[in-house]
Amino acid sequence: MTEAPRLLAGRYQVGDLIGRGGMAEVHLGMDTRLGRRIAIKLLRPALATDARFRLLFREEAQKAARMAHPTIVRVFDAGEETIADADGHERQLPYIVMEYVDGRLLRDIIADGPLAPKEAVRIGAGILTALEYSHRALLVHRDIKPGNVMITQNGQVKVMDFGIARAISDNSATVAETGAILGTAQYFSPEQARGGPIDARTDVYAAGVLLYSLLVGVGPFDHIRGQMELLQAHVSLAPVPPSQR
């Protein structure tokens, strides 16, 4: 694997790896010009040569840059750095410079066990506040899940990763037409599971599933293993009420 450059755009110093996703890796960084800690998202080298993934990555930066709200992780800058691979061939490595959030992923918090109802509702309200803001900006997140929410040291909710967000008016962005399942099946709305058009209600459904997970410690259909069976459960099954679990 190609070694990530240590300095991007002549100012962003790349530090330790602090997170990894399907498309990208996130490093701790330093903006040497402003003297502040940042997070730097780098598209995985294996995907950087694919024009589709590079387009998705650039679109993520553009969409997230439109979000200026305390409950949404800020994007400061984005670009592409020319690097040389192991064979000496030059290629472009896209990057996104983001606000560094000192906290824990909600996914890790849930792994410790169910939250007290009052705290679960507080976090759920923060997520809904972020969604209200993004929906007013005409963006549907489409991948609300515990792995895309951070809780800062002082308890602030921070929603991140608008990598597969779509404009509310873009009804053509369906699972069937993209040829891939975008999002995380445990948090799919019925219309996502069917491969149909989606809108802001998709995010609200996912937030409801997430709130269920906060209260119970697991999602309503986490016991279902097969992906197709899981998608069908969101379409046709009623979850067991949290009070019974």
Side-chain angles (χ1 to χ4, degrees), residues 2 84-90:
T2 304
D85 60 24
D87 297 324
H89 299 121
E90 289 189 345

Side-chain angles (χ1 to χ4, degrees), residues 3-236:
E3 182 71 18
R6 294 298 94 189
L7 196 67
L8 300 172
R11 67 181 286 188
Y12 303 121
Q13 186 176 350
V14 182
D16 294 337
L17 180 70
I18 56 175
R20 181 180 282 115
M23 280 183 57
E25 295 178 343
V26 180
H27 291 255
L28 182 64
M30 174 63 69
D31 183 340
T32 58
R33 186 175 301 171
L34 297 179
R36 68 179 174 187
R37 282 201 298 180
I38 52 174
I40 302 173
K41 179 179 281 193
L42 299 173
L43 187 62
R44 285 179 177 271
L47 302 178
T49 56
D50 190 314
R52 295 169 300 171
F53 285 106
R54 288 172 64 184
L55 177 61
L56 275 175
F57 202 72
R58 286 196 298 269
E59 287 182 344
E60 173 183 355
Q62 292 167 355
K63 293 161 190 165
R66 291 162 51 186
M67 306 289 103
H69 194 273
T71 59
I72 296 175
V73 173
R74 292 293 309 275
V75 165
F76 299 133
D77 196 4
E80 294 188 352
E81 188 79 6
T82 301
I83 63 172
D85 60 24
D87 297 324
H89 299 121
E90 289 189 345
R91 60 181 178 80
Q92 300 300 307
L93 180 64
Y95 63 88
I96 299 174
V97 178
M98 308 179 297
E99 168 190 7
Y100 171 71
V101 178
D102 185 11
R104 294 182 71 196
L105 281 174
L106 193 52
R107 178 184 62 203
D108 298 332
I109 294 174
I110 293 175
D112 293 338
L115 277 66
K118 185 176 181 180
E119 178 64 3
V121 169
R122 187 191 71 80
I123 292 174
I127 294 168
L128 290 174
T129 298
L131 291 177
E132 179 184 31
Y133 182 87
S134 68
H135 294 165
R136 285 182 174 175
L138 303 181
L139 281 179
V140 182
H141 189 286
R142 298 204 303 170
D143 197 19
I144 292 298
K145 61 182 180 181
N148 280 338
V149 179
M150 289 198 73
I151 308 299
T152 69
Q153 296 291 346
N154 63 3
Q156 172 72 52
V157 173
K158 292 279 188 177
V159 175
M160 58 186 180
D161 200 349
F162 282 78
I164 63 171
R166 282 292 180 271
I168 287 176
S169 60
D170 184 8
N171 288 328
S172 64
T174 67
V175 170
E177 290 170 341
T178 57
I181 293 181
L182 299 176
T184 305
Q186 288 92 334
Y187 298 88
F188 265 22
S189 64
E191 61 271 20
Q192 265 180 307
R194 293 190 187 101
I198 62 173
D199 58 29
R201 291 171 292 186
T202 295
D203 286 345
V204 177
Y205 181 93
V209 176
L210 196 156
L211 180 58
Y212 187 108
S213 302
L214 293 176
L215 292 167
V216 177
V218 294
F221 303 123
D222 279 8
H223 60 287
I224 298 175
R225 296 302 174 195
Q227 181 161 273
M228 295 310 298
E229 291 79 6
L230 183 57
L231 296 177
Q232 186 58 38
H234 283 291
V235 173
S236 58

